[in-house]
Amino acid sequence: LLSERRDIVSLFVNTLKANVQLAVLTAVLFIILGIVLWLPGFFYVVYPGTVYLMVHNIVEMICLAISLSVFVIVWYGWPQTRNSRDLVIAMVFLAAGLLDFAHLLSPKEITDLLLASGDNKALLFWLISRMLASIGLLAAAYIPRRSKNPVFHRLYLLTVTLSITVGLLVSVLFFENSATAMGIPEQGQTGARLIFECSIMALNLFAVYLYGCRNPAQQSVFLLRVGLVFNLVGGMAFILCSNYCDSFNLLGHIYKV
């Protein structure tokens, strides 16, 4: 009985510690945005287009490398672990990575990708990638780690993931004109872009809560929640962005890494 009480107390302390650390991290990330917002004369910068594009591409390539690394590690480890939740998360990272790669190739300064490139196409790939990742990570919270459902076989999930990703890529490439503009030159973000960003933030916030209800003191869960918090605050940075080459946009991309 005494041992059980000690375990309960230890779990409570570790859970409280993890939640406090997460709250402090969230506050710090928001404070950084607040400093830029309140002291624009010192910290708000609109970078030259060529300089920002170079930094943007480096950050996106890092994100792509991380996404593909997560997929490869889980893919080759699955025969031993048979962890259904990790497999779904790996597929989410794969899909997000492929869409990020399309986003990386889409700006008008870079060679066209099959069709004429453009800022709206780049934004669509970017937003769809982040929305898909947010939905996928949220859905993964409901998936048991050791599911015997054949749906969670890695080849089946890979086929579904690639089919959905290719479908989204084709939709943006060939039907971009049918989509709502996410940004208007000289005017900034549209209402549709803001709705996307707010929706992504809401999904990330809900996912942070759900994973916290499971085992917040577990290191893997804690690190996943940390990543979700960075994405959450990054969404606010993109909402505050008034120029595609400004400090808020750069901070949002850094938080995404």
Side-chain angles (χ1 to χ4, degrees):
L1 182 61
L2 182 59
S3 177
E4 290 179 359
R5 289 180 178 177
R6 286 177 179 174
D7 290 341
I8 293 173
V9 172
S10 177
L11 178 61
F12 174 77
V13 171
N14 290 334
T15 299
L16 181 62
K17 180 181 177 181
N19 287 332
V20 169
Q21 290 175 336
L22 205 65
V24 171
L25 173 65
T26 306
V28 170
L29 295 178
F30 272 113
I31 287 172
I32 292 173
L33 294 183
I35 291 174
V36 178
L37 185 63
W38 295 328
L39 299 172
F42 293 97
F43 299 105
Y44 182 80
V45 180
V46 176
Y47 302 95
T50 53
V51 174
Y52 181 81
L53 182 62
M54 179 181 67
V55 175
H56 166 272
N57 289 347
I58 292 173
V59 172
E60 287 298 330
M61 284 188 286
I62 294 173
C63 291
L64 177 61
I66 292 172
S67 296
L68 296 182
S69 297
V70 170
F71 168 74
V72 170
I73 290 171
V74 176
W75 177 266
Y76 284 104
W78 183 80
Q80 287 73 42
T81 64
R82 296 285 173 170
N83 192 313
S84 303
R85 185 184 303 164
D86 286 353
L87 186 62
V88 170
I89 292 175
M91 295 302 167
V92 169
F93 272 89
L94 174 63
L98 294 175
L99 288 165
D100 280 345
F101 183 65
H103 163 74
L104 181 64
L105 297 180
S106 297
K108 59 186 178 182
E109 295 88 349
I110 300 178
T111 304
D112 289 357
L113 178 64
L114 299 182
L115 299 175
S117 58
D119 290 336
N120 194 55
K121 185 181 296 181
L123 278 173
L124 286 170
F125 283 133
W126 165 253
L127 290 170
I128 292 172
S129 169
R130 291 173 54 231
M131 177 65 78
L132 187 62
S134 298
I135 294 173
L137 291 175
L138 178 60
Y142 292 98
I143 295 172
R145 289 186 176 276
R146 298 292 186 272
S147 175
K148 295 182 179 180
N149 192 318
V151 169
F152 295 109
H153 190 279
R154 62 175 182 170
L155 291 178
Y156 178 82
L157 278 182
L158 179 63
T159 302
V160 172
T161 300
L162 292 178
S163 298
I164 293 174
T165 305
V166 170
L168 292 171
L169 289 170
V170 170
S171 297
V172 175
L173 285 171
F174 292 94
F175 304 102
E176 176 199 358
N177 294 332
S178 302
T180 303
M182 295 294 120
I184 301 176
E186 310 301 330
Q187 295 184 29
Q189 305 180 70
T190 62
R193 166 78 186 272
L194 296 177
I195 291 173
F196 253 99
E197 294 292 356
C198 290
S199 300
I200 291 170
M201 290 178 64
L203 290 169
N204 287 327
L205 181 61
F206 191 32
V208 169
Y209 169 75
L210 283 181
Y211 284 105
C213 291
R214 292 183 176 274
N215 190 359
Q218 186 178 341
Q219 185 179 20
S220 59
V221 175
F222 176 73
L223 292 177
L224 180 57
R225 295 176 79 203
V226 167
L228 289 166
V229 165
F230 270 96
N231 277 332
L232 169 65
V233 185
M236 179 57 69
F238 294 127
I239 288 176
L240 294 173
C241 167
S242 58
N243 186 296
Y244 295 139
C245 299
D246 71 2
S247 300
F248 288 116
N249 205 0
L250 180 60
L251 278 173
H253 279 81
I254 292 174
Y255 285 174
K256 181 176 180 286
V257 174

